[in-house]
């Protein structure tokens, strides 16, 4: 039964009975309201006004109805939609924002490896031939063994991709925006963002795993794409805004780049008339590397929600806490 005197917790993601029971035990002093469709339009004004915790990803506009919000736990790794003042639009004072960093590493990094291997072995071109019932060879392929792989954004997902590519025999260079004390053992070299331009001409693969921030929009602009090695590949599973789309199309069409594996595009859905669809050396998936397409991913997110709920009631630092100034999650303890 709904208790008007208690604070509300809105759960806007799919759950299971075990999760609901455990959450009720952790947040025993709260009204827990499950709206697993994620549709906030049906939530009563009175409920929103007394909501202090949201688990899931509401529309940013909904938060203006939540003046008592204390903590928003997103089910996405990206948090850029909530770092521009949306959290306090309803008058809430300094609410915490946590994302689902860590939950998508397996799914997205494996998808990136799949895109990379498909490009190296021209599997996308052979799929095109298959659909035309043609037994037709498409020329030479490349090996991951000894390939130079540049991973731009060495966070959780980027690190997972780097580990997998190194295990396949690649030489991996990681790019970070801030220095760390020790180089991870899954990269051969670690550089900072200001050294990116010098690293691009050496790379056989440039893999982007970046959130959308002012610094990352059009990071791979026409000038940087031109610095890449002729015939190199670019793979993007972060945000589509990191690449100048028209410049990429030109580089692919001219053969300056060997191919692009894209799970994200600058506009989503990608318009049907866009040039990228017609370029045979572009391999596009519709932003499905993450999401709930792999069952384990959703279980990781539910576990993170429970762990952070327990930390919240104890006044402990939350995992995957987002720095509202940078849009990145703070390093884990």
């Amino acid at each position: 039964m709904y208790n008007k005197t208690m604070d509300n917790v809105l759960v806007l993601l799919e759950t299971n009975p075990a999760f609901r029971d455990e959450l009720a035990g952790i947040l025993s002093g709260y009204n827990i309201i499950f709206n697993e469709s994620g549709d906030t339009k049906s939530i009563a004004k009175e409920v929103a006004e007394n909501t202090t915790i949201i688990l899931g990803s509401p529309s940013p506009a909904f938060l203006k109805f939540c003046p008592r919000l204390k903590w928003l736990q997103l089910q996405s790794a990206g948090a850029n939609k909530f770092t521009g003042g949306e959290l306090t639009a309803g008058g809430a004072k300094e609410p915490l924002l946590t994302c689902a960093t860590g939950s998508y590493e397996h799914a997205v990094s494996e998808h990136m490896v799949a895109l990379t291997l498909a490009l190296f072995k021209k599997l996308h071109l052979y799929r095109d031939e298959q659909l035309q019932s043609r037994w037709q060879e498409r020329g030479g392929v490349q090996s991951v063994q000894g390939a130079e792989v540049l991973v731009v954004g060495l966070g959780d997902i980027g690190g997972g991709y780097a580990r997998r590519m190194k295990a396949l025999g690649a030489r991996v260079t990681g790019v970070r925006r801030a220095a760390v004390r020790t180089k991870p053992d899954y990269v051969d070299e670690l550089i900072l963002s200001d050294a990116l331009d010098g690293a691009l001409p050496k790379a056989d693969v440039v893999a982007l795993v970046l959130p959308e921030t002012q610094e990352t929009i059009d990071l791979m602009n026409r000038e940087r794409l031109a610095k890449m090695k002729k015939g190199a590949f670019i793979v993007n599973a972060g945000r589509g805004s990191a690449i100048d789309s028209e410049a990429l199309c030109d580089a692919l069409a001219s053969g300056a780049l060997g191919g692009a594996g894209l799970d994200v595009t600058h506009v989503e859905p990608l318009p049907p008339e866009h040039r990228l669809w017609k370029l045979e050396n572009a391999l596009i998936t519709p932003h499905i590397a993450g999401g709930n397409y792999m069952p384990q991913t959703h279980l990781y997110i539910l576990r993170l929600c429970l762990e952070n709920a327990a930390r919240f009631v104890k006044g402990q630092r939350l995992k995957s806490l987002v720095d509202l100034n940078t849009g990145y999650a703070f390093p884990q303890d």
Side-chain angles (χ1 to χ4, degrees):
M1 181 178 295
Y2 181 70
N3 187 333
K4 295 182 180 180
T5 66
M6 294 169 64
D7 293 340
N8 296 331
V9 177
L10 285 181
V11 181
L12 303 175
L13 68 166
E14 293 184 14
T15 65
N16 55 51
F19 172 87
R20 293 193 287 272
D21 289 345
E22 190 168 349
L23 186 67
I26 295 170
L27 300 177
S28 58
Y30 293 81
N31 288 313
I32 302 178
I33 301 166
F34 293 94
N35 186 345
E36 299 191 0
S37 71
D39 180 14
T40 53
K41 294 179 181 178
S42 62
I43 295 173
K45 182 173 180 288
E46 179 186 36
V47 171
E49 288 176 343
N50 288 307
T51 292
T52 57
I53 298 173
I54 299 176
L55 306 180
S57 297
S59 68
F62 175 72
L63 300 185
K64 66 184 178 184
F65 303 111
C66 304
R68 300 183 59 218
L69 184 67
K70 295 180 180 178
W71 167 41
L72 169 59
Q73 169 67 63
L74 299 175
Q75 65 189 91
S76 63
N80 58 292
K81 293 180 180 179
F82 299 91
T83 56
E86 293 82 2
L87 289 173
T88 55
K93 302 197 183 305
E94 300 183 354
L96 301 171
L97 176 65
T98 53
C99 64
T101 291
S103 302
Y104 294 94
E105 184 265 317
H106 294 294
V108 181
S109 63
E110 288 177 3
H111 190 90
M112 292 176 68
V113 171
L115 289 174
T116 305
L117 290 174
L119 291 170
F120 269 46
K121 304 303 180 183
K122 298 185 177 178
L123 300 185
H124 55 307
L125 302 185
Y126 285 109
R127 177 67 176 184
D128 292 345
E129 298 294 350
Q130 176 187 333
L131 293 176
Q132 298 299 321
S133 304
R134 289 195 296 249
W135 188 273
Q136 177 67 46
E137 60 88 15
R138 295 301 302 262
V141 296
Q142 299 183 41
S143 175
V144 174
Q145 183 73 38
E148 293 282 345
V149 175
L150 185 66
V151 184
V152 186
L154 203 65
D156 182 67
I157 294 171
Y161 175 75
R163 277 192 293 272
R164 287 164 171 81
M165 293 303 292
K166 185 170 176 60
L168 290 171
R171 185 184 184 280
V172 180
T173 298
V175 182
R176 291 182 59 97
R177 63 185 181 86
V180 293
R181 291 183 180 179
T182 58
K183 177 182 71 65
D185 58 7
Y186 50 80
V187 298
D188 298 282
E189 185 179 358
L190 185 63
I191 63 175
L192 296 182
S193 300
D194 57 8
L196 174 62
D197 288 347
L200 289 172
K202 308 172 189 176
D204 297 298
V205 179
V206 175
L208 306 176
V209 201
L210 297 166
E212 182 175 297
T213 68
Q214 289 302 313
E215 291 73 29
T216 63
I217 292 175
D218 282 343
L219 178 76
M220 295 302 296
N221 54 26
R222 190 171 296 275
E223 292 72 26
R224 287 204 172 101
L225 290 170
K227 289 179 180 179
M228 289 178 61
K229 179 189 294 187
K230 181 174 175 57
F233 302 110
I234 190 165
V235 175
N236 189 10
R239 288 294 180 266
S241 58
I243 303 177
D244 179 333
S245 181
E246 288 305 311
L248 175 62
C249 288
D250 290 342
L252 292 171
S254 69
L257 292 183
L262 308 173
D263 185 54
V264 290
T265 55
H266 72 295
V267 176
E268 295 181 1
L270 187 66
E273 68 276 9
H274 199 279
R275 293 168 63 196
L276 273 172
W277 289 119
K278 304 300 183 184
L279 294 168
E280 70 169 13
N281 52 352
L283 176 54
I284 302 169
T285 54
H287 204 151
I288 47 77
N292 292 333
Y293 297 97
M294 194 172 82
Q296 296 94 322
T297 300
H298 192 59
L299 295 178
Y300 297 148
I301 295 170
L302 294 182
R303 178 50 51 191
L304 175 62
C305 289
L306 292 172
E307 184 172 349
N308 267 347
R311 288 176 175 238
F312 182 82
V313 296
K314 294 175 183 176
Q316 298 175 345
R317 180 183 173 88
L318 302 183
K319 298 185 69 173
S320 301
L321 186 65
V322 175
D323 181 343
L324 299 182
N325 294 316
T326 66
Y328 291 84
F330 287 106
Q332 300 289 78
D333 296 334

